[in-house]
């Protein structure tokens, strides 16, 4: 998991071919702080909710993300609900058709 997902304004690149392992992101901050959320240079003017959340989640999709950890404030915000629902489908589409394979069983840890 990459623990620094930033927002980038449109256009967003199409996602790459799905990876055979889970790839996810954690938002760098909540969307009520868009000046910190966007990679420099910030869009002018800074967009209002729910655009920063959508830009961050679209960035994750374009990087092949399969899941994103968002802050609780963004999760419970009523303006976020349509964005979360739409982006969820895109993140799920980044999961390979056969699903994410199980962890290898041939790895051993020796003292």
């Amino acid at each position: 998991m990459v623990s620094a997902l930033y927002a980038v304004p449109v256009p967003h690149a199409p996602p790459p071919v799905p990876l055979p392992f889970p790839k996810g992101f954690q938002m760098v901050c909540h969307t009520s702080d868009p000046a910190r959320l966007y990679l420099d240079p910030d869009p002018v003017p800074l967009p209002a909710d729910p655009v920063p959340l959508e830009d961050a989640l679209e960035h994750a999709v374009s990087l092949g993300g399969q899941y994103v950890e968002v802050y609780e404030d963004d999760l419970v915000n009523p303006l976020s609900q349509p964005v979360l629902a739409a982006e969820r489908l895109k993140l799920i589409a980044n999961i390979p058709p056969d699903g994410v394979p199980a962890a290898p069983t041939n790895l051993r840890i020796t003292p």
Side-chain angles (χ1 to χ4, degrees):
M1 178 170 92
V2 179
S3 61
L5 178 63
Y6 290 90
V8 294
V10 294
H12 297 102
V17 174
L19 297 171
F21 54 86
K23 180 178 183 180
F25 298 92
Q26 179 185 42
M27 301 275 289
V28 70
C29 66
H30 48 81
T31 61
S32 64
D33 189 3
R36 184 170 167 223
L37 182 63
Y38 280 92
L39 283 174
D40 291 333
D42 293 341
V44 177
L46 284 169
D49 280 344
V51 174
L53 178 62
E54 182 176 20
D55 284 344
L57 295 176
E58 279 291 327
H59 187 209
V61 169
S62 72
L63 295 172
Q66 299 167 357
Y67 65 92
V68 175
E69 182 180 331
V70 299
Y71 284 83
E72 182 179 4
D73 292 347
D74 298 324
L75 190 61
V76 298
N77 181 346
L79 293 174
S80 300
Q81 300 312 304
V83 171
L84 291 168
E87 297 303 321
R88 176 183 178 271
L89 296 175
K90 294 176 184 181
L91 290 165
I92 289 171
N94 280 347
I95 297 174
D98 295 337
V100 178
T105 57
N106 62 344
L107 300 178
R108 303 284 183 261
I109 298 174
T110 56

